[in-house]
Amino acid sequence: MPPRRAAVSVVVFRDDTVLLVRRGREPARGLWAPVGGRIEADETAEAAALREVREETGVTARLLGLCDRREVPSTAEDGTAMTWDIAVFAAVWVDGEPVAGDDAAEAAFVAPARLSSLPFVRGGLDAVAAARRLFDGSPSRDGLRQP
């Protein structure tokens, strides 16, 4: 069985838009995705999710909750097979405008109508859909809308 590594993916909503990054490094360089990255040895998945949002975009978010889990087969840096165990979180924007950082080439809040026209990483649109279901069902959503 290939080794497994823990990671997070975070779908951040601001009103009806979704925070996405265009990946600046392999794997999937040039493709759009929710913010994400590996979980460090000394942190929880929730802490990793919030850290990745800050590092990759400069945005501050508040987690709504875990909305999905994914297993993604991949190849490690040494060429061996491995699997990413990804915890997918839905979150809401708190502060900041997106600026590409860390390994992102671009970061932006994207309107739902544009999502289907963007080249996404495998499973990226599914993660957005899972997070959207949690976001739409969140009882505190109305209080999160910006004027």
Side-chain angles (χ1 to χ4, degrees):
M1 175 177 240
R4 301 174 92 70
R5 293 189 185 158
V8 293
S9 180
V10 191
V11 181
V12 180
F13 294 98
R14 181 170 68 182
D15 294 323
D16 286 333
T17 63
V18 180
L19 180 61
L20 299 174
V21 294
R22 188 170 52 82
R23 295 187 53 85
R25 297 185 197 163
E26 294 299 342
R29 182 184 194 149
L31 299 180
W32 289 88
V35 173
R38 57 180 72 171
I39 300 172
E40 302 296 335
D42 62 342
E43 69 184 345
T44 64
E46 292 82 1
L50 295 172
R51 175 184 52 77
E52 287 291 342
V53 172
R54 280 189 314 273
E55 287 179 358
E56 288 191 23
T57 69
V59 166
T60 303
R62 181 175 57 83
L63 297 180
L64 292 175
L66 182 69
C67 60
D68 201 3
R69 288 201 170 274
R70 301 195 176 274
E71 292 183 357
V72 178
S74 188
T75 304
E77 292 148 3
D78 65 2
T80 60
M82 53 90 57
T83 299
W84 288 106
D85 285 325
I86 304 174
V88 181
F89 290 93
V92 292
W93 172 85
V94 172
D95 188 46
E97 290 302 316
V99 176
D102 198 28
D103 67 348
E106 187 176 349
F109 281 102
V110 178
R114 285 196 51 221
L115 293 177
S116 63
S117 68
L118 298 175
F120 264 86
V121 297
R122 184 178 66 194
L125 281 174
D126 293 335
V128 171
R132 171 66 69 185
R133 286 188 294 277
L134 182 62
F135 176 68
D136 286 344
S138 172
S140 60
R141 180 176 183 222
D142 290 341
L144 301 171
R145 291 195 166 273
Q146 298 299 307

